[in-house]
Amino acid sequence: MSLSPEILHKLTAIVGETHIFTDEATRRHYGHDETEDYVFPPQVVVKPANTQEVADILKVANDYKVPTTPIGARTGLSGGALSIYEGIGLSMERFNKIIEIDELNLQVTVEPAVITQILREAVAEKGLFYPVDPSSMGSCWIGGNIAENAGGARALKYGVTKDYVLNLEVVLPNGDIIWTGANTLKNSTGYNLTQLMVGSEGTLGVITKAVLKLLPQNSHNVLLLVPFYKAHEACEAVSAIFRAGIVPSALEFMERDAIDWTLRLVEGISVPVKPEHQAHLLIEVDGNYPEVLMQEAEKIVGVVEQFEIDEVLFADSDEQKNALWKMRRSVAEAVKSNSVYKEEDTVVPRYMLPELLSGIKRIGAQYGFQSVCYGHAGDGNLHVNIIKGDMSDDYWKTQVPLGIREIFELTVSLKGTLSGEHGIGYVQKNFMDIAFTRTHLELMESIKRVFDPNNVLNPGKIFPDEL
Amino acid sequence: MSLSPEILHKLTAIVGETHIFTDEATRRHYGHDETEDYVFPPQVVVKPANTQEVADILKVANDYKVPTTPIGARTGLSGGALSIYEGIGLSMERFNKIIEIDELNLQVTVEPAVITQILREAVAEKGLFYPVDPSSMGSCWIGGNIAENAGGARALKYGVTKDYVLNLEVVLPNGDIIWTGANTLKNSTGYNLTQLMVGSEGTLGVITKAVLKLLPQNSHNVLLLVPFYKAHEACEAVSAIFRAGIVPSALEFMERDAIDWTLRLVEGISVPVKPEHQAHLLIEVDGNYPEVLMQEAEKIVGVVEQFEIDEVLFADSDEQKNALWKMRRSVAEAVKSNSVYKEEDTVVPRYMLPELLSGIKRIGAQYGFQSVCYGHAGDGNLHVNIIKGDMSDDYWKTQVPLGIREIFELTVSLKGTLSGEHGIGYVQKNFMDIAFTRTHLELMESIKRVFDPNNVLNPGKIFPDEL
């Protein structure tokens, strides 16, 4: 079914002829993100220039009940930006300005299509720090980070996106425009619609501006790579480090396969990896006082030495640090270049990590799938990449999801949940019954209806197909 | 109007005869909090023992459409716990257990009637840190802290209550029971009902358990008291400290009157205050490395010396530190012992503080009221105590609110908002139109209706009388 000429005419009148596209190549381009191999092209792609144009588009969408999917950098891993019911693909790419870096108040006002790394670099030039650093920060956008409540490697010390969002300009599905809060560090004034919007995956409104909190920039850090002979001991070491009174700025876990595949893909990284290492922890501490950081690093070494480890690598140059981080950030890409895979974004209280990891391997063995596990162990967030390899399409589609269901059941039984930072989107929605009661899901659906009674904004996401 | 014998009978059947009260003394006792001199007794006070009893009470309340007000420690400053439509006063006092301090995951599970300071001390014994410290922490409860999104002196470095709430057990107005999230540090799984509940002032559900995040305890701190000859320069120094790259663990502002009144009320505090000091900043840095803290303290002195200050006091014993903190925490009590007052909880981006302060004084002069200002300047949160003194009741009730309206209009024009940490409750609700558009308020009201279609839970709070 194609959109009526009347609708297309109205959309053209809003964005102008040069910012509306119905050709197949463009629709297809905007029809995929980084989620497996899914492609769901919208019927039309529009690229509004400003908040009012977004409002006008949503009014048309509401009048004609056209499904409308906000589209960001398309780096998402849960399919939140896929136009699964076709309709309008609302690309936010023209919202790409850093509006103001407020050095006096340590805040930045930014449009949603600013690349996270560009924002980080722009504020760093002023001596300020935006800590949230998803692995995709070189290409993902702030708007998508807010929509999915993105995390990253520094979340264990600095928190996730939600901890930096002070205020949002949002276009509601009916075209009304609000600011959700105030530009203040604390706020007890009415319901927290700012935090309701963060992580709502573009289903409650379209973010058109964001005011984010900044910190003073730290000047120093120390980075360690610790090879473990036993993967579960690497997991155990994670909570032991915190219990020793240390809050690292990063604490990343990588299974052996994750490193091997990455080193094959990414050139020029030299890491002393031996066949007998089962897993590595990449550990960073940061601050302004190098002698303190060395003390903390030594305390960390004292903790990890209680486990069976090989020699600890102290990265002592920026070059070496960058290489280690490049390795860590390239894992997803490396896995993807190897095989189609499903990525689960499990998260548990951090002491439960060893139990989660061994359970995942047990379930994988039972269902006959290989998984590559890595992630932000410091906050209990383990990415589980399930490899398709030469598995039949039928088994992949019918049997593997049963194994994933078991993984999520285990996760929830450990007081964890389905997604730590990727969101539910399209691919995890039919697992939501594991984490939430029917009452709870109905409550969320009722909130969705308050914002979007006609269900035009990003329909088919978050909520299970059958409630 | 009294409650029918049928309703009282059903409530008695739920909580038992020893936990239901209709005598005037008890009703009056539960009819006030710390908000001005308001008293709104409920018709009946019930004291449930557990979550199921709360659920059963709310079912009765819904069946009979009886207004029901959750009552905590009654230390609130916005009247959130006042039974303004009488009905059932739901005292949560029997929910007073720390259920589990989870040292492995740095979390605590707690019931809502645990006193904040008792929680802080209990976790400190295990080397852990719950940073949120409202001035009333010796008597307020965690449940109320969550309901109002309480802050305190350490919020500028450590955040407010919302930043520590991982998961909540909540009884919904219809008696359904949910856990809002998971016990994880990050979560991108559905709408963030945890954060919607925090700060909702008991209007969306009754909190019966909370899982809170903890940090490792810091071992050291340094405390400075800086006397300023000009109050607005004290305000200016606040953002200058952050811009110098320092994040203090506390940065409190006290006007001269606040200190004078407190020193008259609280005995045994020796502070070198001179008549020519207009304001003081109380500044703390904390951490594990004393030599680093001394360096930070010296940097701070370097910043404040750019202003006209008198000699800086370094508190060098625990006794002296405790005395300074006691002084700061006693300001509200001191003002109260002097006169009835209205407390406004203004909050702005911190660089706007000098403009806020001078505006408040200008408006006060215009309306003929005295104000005593103090608060958490590090996060831009200024408490404005407007003194009744010998003002006529009529002027107090009709003219002073017009001045308060001007103060809030100024606050919002500076990108701030009505309440930083006290909530809106009963006393600020008719100022909500200053901070929010009609669209926005209607959206919040619609969310309220999703949770509480019969408007039985804490009615008459947050929303203006006329929308």
Side-chain angles (χ1 to χ4, degrees):
Chain A
M1 193 193 82
S2 65
L3 291 176
S4 73
E6 189 180 337
I7 296 172
L8 292 174
H9 178 75
K10 292 200 170 185
L11 294 174
T12 307
I14 296 166
V15 295
E17 279 182 10
T18 52
H19 298 294
I20 182 164
F21 304 85
T22 52
D23 63 290
E24 198 186 330
T26 305
R27 293 192 299 110
R28 210 178 149 77
H29 177 73
Y30 286 92
H32 70 87
D33 61 8
E34 290 294 323
T35 311
E36 303 179 35
D37 51 358
Y38 290 111
V39 185
F40 289 98
Q43 288 156 291
V44 57
V45 175
V46 291
K47 303 182 179 178
N50 54 52
T51 305
Q52 190 55 52
E53 288 188 10
V54 173
D56 292 341
I57 291 164
L58 290 183
K59 279 180 204 154
V60 171
N62 249 291
D63 285 347
Y64 293 88
K65 314 272 187 295
V66 187
T68 301
T69 304
I71 298 175
R74 296 174 302 108
T75 54
L77 293 163
S78 56
L82 301 177
S83 298
I84 62 168
Y85 295 129
E86 305 189 313
I88 302 168
L90 184 69
S91 172
M92 298 299 291
E93 66 199 73
R94 294 168 73 196
F95 286 75
N96 60 359
K97 282 181 290 301
I98 297 176
I99 297 171
E100 188 196 2
I101 299 174
D102 178 353
E103 294 176 72
L104 299 172
N105 288 302
L106 277 66
Q107 297 178 359
V108 59
T109 304
V110 68
E111 291 186 324
V114 172
I115 291 174
T116 307
Q117 185 164 327
I118 287 182
L119 175 71
R120 285 166 54 93
E121 288 169 0
V123 303
E125 277 181 27
K126 316 267 186 190
L128 299 172
F129 184 34
Y130 178 70
V132 188
D133 62 343
S135 293
S136 57
M137 68 180 177
S139 51
C140 66
W141 295 348
I142 288 294
N145 290 180
I146 296 169
E148 303 298 329
N149 192 15
R154 269 66 180 212
L156 70 172
K157 177 170 178 180
Y158 292 105
V160 294
T161 304
K162 83 170 170 53
D163 301 306
Y164 292 86
V165 180
L166 301 179
N167 202 0
L168 294 171
E169 184 188 71
V170 171
V171 182
L172 300 173
N174 68 358
D176 285 341
I177 301 164
I178 63 169
W179 277 94
T180 55
N183 295 6
T184 56
L185 293 169
K186 42 203 317 204
N187 192 338
S188 296
T189 312
Y191 300 152
N192 196 336
L193 298 193
T194 309
Q195 291 297 328
L196 185 61
M197 205 55 65
V198 176
S200 65
E201 309 197 52
T203 65
L204 298 181
V206 178
I207 296 158
T208 46
K209 286 190 192 76
V211 180
L212 306 174
K213 177 173 93 164
L214 302 173
L215 299 175
Q217 182 80 272
N218 281 322
S219 51
H220 294 84
N221 62 66
V222 172
L223 188 64
L224 314 174
L225 185 72
V226 187
F228 286 78
Y229 293 108
K230 294 175 179 163
H232 71 95
E233 289 198 349
C235 287
E236 286 166 24
V238 170
S239 65
I241 289 168
F242 283 84
R243 296 204 308 280
I246 303 158
V247 180
S249 51
L251 212 177
E252 299 284 307
F253 171 87
M254 286 164 288
E255 266 197 314
R256 182 55 201 274
D257 282 348
I259 293 195
D260 277 353
W261 293 15
T262 305
L263 294 181
R264 281 204 295 272
L265 178 82
V266 186
E267 291 186 358
I269 301 178
S270 148
V271 181
V273 177
K274 296 181 195 160
E276 55 271 32
H277 299 157
Q278 275 190 7
H280 286 68
L281 290 182
L282 185 65
I283 310 173
E284 183 194 79
V285 286
D286 72 353
N288 287 317
Y289 300 90
E291 63 283 8
V292 165
L293 297 182
M294 284 314 295
Q295 283 183 52
E296 300 251 288
E298 277 159 26
K299 268 197 216 170
I300 289 171
V301 171
V303 173
V304 295
E305 277 178 349
Q306 294 162 26
F307 302 91
E308 288 182 53
I309 61 168
D310 202 353
E311 202 172 336
V312 176
L313 172 72
F314 271 74
D316 54 9
S317 67
D318 281 350
E319 204 180 353
Q320 202 170 16
K321 287 177 189 173
N322 290 338
L324 288 175
W325 277 116
K326 186 173 181 190
M327 175 179 79
R328 166 59 189 88
R329 291 194 201 287
S330 304
V331 176
E333 195 188 340
V335 174
K336 192 155 201 166
S337 76
N338 240 293
S339 166
V340 168
Y341 71 98
K342 290 182 189 291
E343 175 152 348
E344 313 311 327
D345 180 35
T346 57
V347 60
V348 292
R350 71 171 81 87
Y351 185 73
M352 305 302 163
L353 267 182
E355 200 168 333
L356 177 63
L357 182 68
S358 67
I360 288 165
K361 297 300 175 186
R362 189 185 66 241
I363 293 163
Q366 187 185 328
Y367 282 85
F369 58 70
Q370 183 191 359
S371 63
V372 180
C373 296
Y374 65 97
H376 315 301
D379 39 39
N381 186 200
L382 194 71
H383 299 322
V384 185
N385 287 1
I386 297 171
I387 309 300
K388 183 161 186 279
D390 52 10
M391 197 180 284
S392 77
D393 284 354
D394 183 53
Y395 193 88
W396 181 244
K397 281 183 192 153
T398 61
Q399 297 305 300
V400 170
L402 301 179
I404 294 173
R405 178 162 277 274
E406 285 197 32
I407 289 174
F408 283 140
E409 284 168 351
L410 170 66
T411 307
V412 170
S413 78
L414 298 172
K415 309 265 186 195
T417 191
L418 312 182
S419 174
E421 56 177 26
H422 295 168
I424 296 304
Y426 173 63
V427 293
Q428 311 296 18
K429 64 180 177 174
N430 287 317
F431 299 111
M432 285 285 273
D433 63 294
I434 301 170
F436 299 107
T437 61
R438 190 187 176 85
T439 298
H440 200 144
L441 287 171
E442 284 173 353
L443 200 55
M444 289 194 211
E445 277 216 325
S446 300
I447 291 171
K448 165 69 173 168
R449 275 194 297 273
V450 163
F451 283 77
D452 187 15
N454 296 321
N455 197 27
V456 295
L457 193 62
N458 212 0
K461 307 295 166 64
I462 298 181
F463 299 102
D465 291 325
E466 289 171 31
L467 197 62
Chain B
M1 193 193 84
S2 65
L3 291 176
S4 73
E6 189 180 338
I7 296 172
L8 291 173
H9 179 76
K10 291 201 171 188
L11 294 173
T12 307
I14 295 166
V15 295
E17 281 182 8
T18 52
H19 299 294
I20 183 164
F21 304 86
T22 53
D23 63 289
E24 197 186 331
T26 306
R27 293 193 300 111
R28 208 179 152 76
H29 178 73
Y30 287 91
H32 70 86
D33 60 7
E34 290 293 324
T35 311
E36 303 179 35
D37 51 356
Y38 290 111
V39 185
F40 288 99
Q43 288 157 293
V44 58
V45 174
V46 292
K47 301 181 178 178
N50 55 52
T51 305
Q52 191 55 53
E53 288 188 9
V54 173
D56 292 341
I57 292 165
L58 290 184
K59 279 179 204 154
V60 171
N62 249 290
D63 285 348
Y64 294 88
K65 315 271 187 296
V66 186
T68 300
T69 304
I71 298 175
R74 297 173 301 109
T75 53
L77 293 164
S78 56
L82 301 178
S83 297
I84 61 168
Y85 295 130
E86 304 189 314
I88 301 169
L90 183 69
S91 173
M92 297 301 290
E93 66 200 71
R94 294 167 73 196
F95 286 73
N96 60 359
K97 283 182 290 301
I98 296 174
I99 296 171
E100 187 197 2
I101 299 173
D102 178 353
E103 295 177 72
L104 299 171
N105 288 304
L106 278 64
Q107 296 177 0
V108 60
T109 305
V110 68
E111 290 185 325
V114 171
I115 291 173
T116 307
Q117 186 164 324
I118 288 182
L119 175 71
R120 284 166 53 94
E121 288 168 2
V123 304
E125 276 180 27
K126 315 266 186 192
L128 299 173
F129 183 33
Y130 178 70
V132 188
D133 62 344
S135 292
S136 58
M137 68 180 177
S139 51
C140 66
W141 295 349
I142 288 293
N145 290 180
I146 297 169
E148 303 299 328
N149 191 15
R154 269 66 179 211
L156 70 173
K157 178 169 176 179
Y158 291 105
V160 294
T161 304
K162 83 171 170 54
D163 302 304
Y164 292 86
V165 180
L166 300 178
N167 202 359
L168 295 171
E169 185 188 70
V170 171
V171 183
L172 301 174
N174 68 358
D176 285 342
I177 300 163
I178 63 168
W179 278 94
T180 55
N183 295 7
T184 54
L185 293 170
K186 41 202 319 203
N187 192 339
S188 297
T189 313
Y191 300 152
N192 196 335
L193 297 194
T194 308
Q195 292 297 330
L196 185 61
M197 205 55 66
V198 176
S200 65
E201 309 197 50
T203 64
L204 298 180
V206 177
I207 297 158
T208 46
K209 286 190 192 77
V211 181
L212 307 173
K213 176 173 94 164
L214 302 173
L215 300 176
Q217 183 78 274
N218 281 322
S219 51
H220 294 83
N221 61 66
V222 172
L223 188 64
L224 314 174
L225 185 72
V226 187
F228 285 78
Y229 292 108
K230 293 176 180 162
H232 71 93
E233 288 198 351
C235 287
E236 285 167 25
V238 170
S239 65
I241 290 167
F242 282 85
R243 296 203 309 279
I246 302 159
V247 180
S249 52
L251 212 178
E252 298 286 307
F253 170 87
M254 285 165 288
E255 264 197 317
R256 181 53 201 276
D257 283 348
I259 292 195
D260 277 354
W261 293 14
T262 305
L263 294 181
R264 280 203 296 270
L265 178 83
V266 187
E267 292 184 357
I269 300 178
S270 149
V271 182
V273 177
K274 296 181 196 161
E276 55 270 33
H277 300 158
Q278 276 189 7
H280 286 68
L281 290 182
L282 185 66
I283 311 172
E284 184 194 77
V285 287
D286 73 352
N288 288 316
Y289 300 89
E291 63 284 6
V292 164
L293 298 181
M294 285 314 296
Q295 283 183 52
E296 301 250 289
E298 278 158 25
K299 266 196 218 171
I300 289 171
V301 171
V303 173
V304 294
E305 277 178 350
Q306 295 163 25
F307 301 91
E308 287 181 52
I309 61 168
D310 201 354
E311 204 171 335
V312 176
L313 172 72
F314 271 75
D316 53 11
S317 68
D318 281 350
E319 204 181 349
Q320 201 170 18
K321 287 176 189 173
N322 291 339
L324 288 176
W325 278 115
K326 189 173 178 190
M327 175 179 79
R328 167 59 190 88
R329 289 194 203 289
S330 303
V331 176
E333 196 189 338
V335 174
K336 192 155 201 164
S337 75
N338 239 294
S339 165
V340 168
Y341 70 99
K342 290 181 188 290
E343 176 153 348
E344 313 312 326
D345 180 34
T346 56
V347 61
V348 291
R350 72 170 78 87
Y351 185 73
M352 304 304 163
L353 267 182
E355 200 168 333
L356 177 63
L357 182 68
S358 66
I360 289 166
K361 296 302 175 185
R362 188 185 66 240
I363 293 163
Q366 188 185 330
Y367 282 86
F369 58 71
Q370 184 192 358
S371 64
V372 179
C373 296
Y374 65 98
H376 314 302
D379 38 40
N381 186 197
L382 194 70
H383 300 322
V384 185
N385 287 2
I386 297 171
I387 309 300
K388 183 161 184 281
D390 52 10
M391 199 181 282
S392 76
D393 284 356
D394 183 54
Y395 194 88
W396 181 245
K397 280 182 192 151
T398 60
Q399 296 306 299
V400 170
L402 301 179
I404 294 172
R405 176 163 280 271
E406 286 196 33
I407 290 174
F408 283 140
E409 284 168 350
L410 171 66
T411 307
V412 170
S413 77
L414 298 172
K415 308 264 187 199
T417 192
L418 312 183
S419 175
E421 56 178 24
H422 295 168
I424 296 305
Y426 173 63
V427 294
Q428 312 296 18
K429 65 181 177 174
N430 287 319
F431 300 111
M432 286 286 273
D433 64 294
I434 301 169
F436 299 107
T437 61
R438 190 187 175 87
T439 298
H440 200 144
L441 287 170
E442 283 174 352
L443 199 56
M444 290 194 208
E445 277 216 325
S446 301
I447 291 171
K448 165 70 173 168
R449 276 194 296 275
V450 163
F451 283 78
D452 187 14
N454 296 322
N455 198 26
V456 295
L457 193 61
N458 210 1
K461 307 295 167 65
I462 298 180
F463 299 102
D465 291 327
E466 289 170 33
L467 197 63

